[in-house]
């Protein structure tokens, strides 16, 4: 149970039914009765329009050796994309990956592949696992939306080229930041 102190002006939307354990004059309960819960819906178009850019972004971080950034970035993909896909499939509220281990142990086990330590090869595998789960889980969602297949192919190829082999799409070496204290910095 979560406790929250609210003013009457703060009650404009809510995602689930709330229990009011104490109030002075009943105004909060009255306001809640007038506002039905509206759980958030997953916006496949919004995610699809951004997912490929995010994959490209992650691959660039790996190529630059920004592995702590990649660890946080992969958490963002789990919370923003993959977790809500699982929650939608299970008809639950879309709250990232909160309590996913108990809500859907099978999907939680699959998400383990999206974890990595501070290692470039692990990060490449984890990013590829995010792409694979995204593809599979959006296909299983059985929702009609325009897939950006060309963008997907380019983003995946870039992630393979840059993150996996240290070269850009044209085969040229990727730029890496100069070490601290070098003349280039």
């Amino acid at each position: 149970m979560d406790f929250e102190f609210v003013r009457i002006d703060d009650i404009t939307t809510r995602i689930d039914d709330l229990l009011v354990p104490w109030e002075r004059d009943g105004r909060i309960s009255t306001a809640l009765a007038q506002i039905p819960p509206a759980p958030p819906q997953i916006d496949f178009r919004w995610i699809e329009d951004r997912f490929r850019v995010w994959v490209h972004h992650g691959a660039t971080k790996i190529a630059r050796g920004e592995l702590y950034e990649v660890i946080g970035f992969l958490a963002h993909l789990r919370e923003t994309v993959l977790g809500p896909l699982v929650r939608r499939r299970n008809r639950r509220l879309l709250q990232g990956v909160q309590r996913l281990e108990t809500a859907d142990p099978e999907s939680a086990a699959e998400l383990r592949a999206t974890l990595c330590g501070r290692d470039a090869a692990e990060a490449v595998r984890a990013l590829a696992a995010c792409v694979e789960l995204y593809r599979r889980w959006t296909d299983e969602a059985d929702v009609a939306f325009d897939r950006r297949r060309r963008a997907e192919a380019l983003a995946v190829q870039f992630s393979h080229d840059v993150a996996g082999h240290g070269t850009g799409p044209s085969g040229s070496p990727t730029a890496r930041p100069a070490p601290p204290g070098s003349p280039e910095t």
Side-chain angles (χ1 to χ4, degrees):
M1 176 182 287
D2 290 331
F3 285 96
E4 186 174 349
F5 295 92
V6 297
R7 297 176 311 165
I8 194 74
D9 298 339
D10 295 334
I11 302 173
T12 57
T13 61
R14 61 188 176 118
I15 60 172
D16 55 9
D17 285 319
L18 303 174
L19 172 67
V20 180
W22 180 86
E23 61 186 316
R24 285 197 173 108
D25 56 13
R27 291 188 307 154
I28 291 176
S29 293
T30 301
L32 289 173
Q34 296 172 6
I35 302 167
Q41 300 298 313
I42 192 165
D43 185 345
F44 285 96
R45 173 80 278 131
W46 183 88
I47 291 173
E48 179 71 13
D49 287 345
R50 287 156 182 79
F51 189 74
R52 311 307 173 209
V53 174
W54 289 337
V55 169
H56 181 277
H57 176 75
T60 302
K61 294 284 185 189
I62 295 168
R64 287 191 290 219
E66 298 172 353
L67 299 176
Y68 288 117
E69 287 281 327
V70 174
I71 292 168
F73 167 74
L74 292 168
H76 168 75
L77 288 182
R78 284 189 298 276
E79 293 171 10
T80 306
V81 178
L82 301 174
L85 286 171
V86 172
R87 297 281 186 180
R88 181 189 182 279
R89 183 175 59 206
N90 294 330
R91 293 176 171 52
R92 294 179 181 258
L93 288 177
L94 307 174
Q95 297 170 337
V97 292
Q98 184 181 29
R99 291 189 222 107
L100 191 62
E101 296 87 343
T102 55
D104 188 338
E106 184 179 309
S107 295
E110 290 184 272
L111 277 174
R112 289 182 64 188
T114 69
L115 300 171
C116 71
R118 196 181 157 275
D119 177 83
E122 286 180 24
V124 169
R125 284 191 297 277
L127 183 60
C130 287
V131 171
E132 176 55 34
L133 289 173
Y134 174 77
R135 286 175 177 162
R136 186 159 37 98
W137 290 348
T138 54
D139 287 345
E140 290 172 2
D142 196 30
V143 174
F145 67 99
D146 182 31
R147 299 296 290 262
R148 307 284 197 236
R149 299 291 183 190
R150 176 78 176 130
E152 176 180 330
L154 290 171
V156 169
Q157 184 61 48
F158 180 80
S159 67
H160 287 298
D161 290 347
V162 173
H165 305 294
T167 60
S170 65
S172 60
T174 57
R176 301 209 184 264
S182 70
E184 293 88 359
T185 58

